[in-house]
Amino acid sequence: DYVKLVSDLRRRYGDPTQHYTARAKSIKVNGSFLARGDGKPIYVIFDTGVTGLVVSRELFDERYITARSQRERNLWGDVSVSFKSKMGKTVELSAISPVTTVLPEMPLKNFDGHLVVVGLSFMDDNILTVDIDRGRLWIESGNYVS
């Protein structure tokens, strides 16, 4: 079973780089969902050159407001990103207190979605295999939640 990679960032929004990108089913931080119900797709780039997490300004601001209203001590404590596999299962990648930064500006033209870059802290204890030709990502030892 695998997660389908997408080329939307390049095809739709003119990204000059072909990233390993998948659409997330959801993002949860400290038990609260991010971008829930706004209808925008969440694109996740897998980048081993990143240590923790990079998020678009809109997601960062949403998270900040939620954490402040709930008086949380840790803004990005327990972070999980889930994907729907080809066979309908949910696979999660998670990290505890990943170093989180904000994209300084949106690099894509007319982008109407959320952009997240996950780094090595989400890949700990997992094996990620990418089939570039078929656009598939296998995550071994990830948490499958059906």
Side-chain angles (χ1 to χ4, degrees), residues 22-40:
R23 283 184 65 167
K25 179 179 174 184
S26 66
I27 299 174
K28 197 178 344 179
V29 183
N30 298 347
S32 297
F33 287 98
L34 273 181
R36 188 77 168 211
D38 69 3
K40 295 181 181 180

Side-chain angles (χ1 to χ4, degrees), residues 1-100:
D1 199 11
Y2 61 89
V3 174
K4 183 173 175 21
L5 296 176
V6 297
S7 59
D8 294 9
L9 299 182
R10 185 179 181 96
R11 197 178 71 249
R12 287 184 177 173
Y13 304 109
D15 189 349
T17 306
Q18 181 63 45
H19 296 285
Y20 301 137
T21 308
R23 283 184 65 167
K25 179 179 174 184
S26 66
I27 299 174
K28 197 178 344 179
V29 183
N30 298 347
S32 297
F33 287 98
L34 273 181
R36 188 77 168 211
D38 69 3
K40 295 181 181 180
I42 304 167
Y43 292 100
V44 178
I45 296 172
F46 300 89
D47 188 344
T48 58
V50 170
T51 301
L53 180 67
V54 181
V55 296
S56 53
R57 169 59 65 186
E58 190 176 62
L59 285 178
F60 189 90
D61 291 347
E62 178 187 338
R63 177 64 199 133
Y64 181 80
I65 290 167
T66 300
R68 294 283 294 176
S69 69
Q70 295 180 3
R71 298 177 185 236
E72 295 178 27
R73 290 180 181 223
N74 193 333
L75 189 59
W76 300 94
D78 182 12
V79 181
S80 65
V81 181
S82 66
F83 304 91
K84 185 176 179 182
S85 74
K86 180 69 175 173
M87 300 196 55
K89 294 181 182 176
T90 298
V91 63
E92 285 183 352
L93 291 175
S94 60
I96 303 296
S97 299
V99 174
T100 304

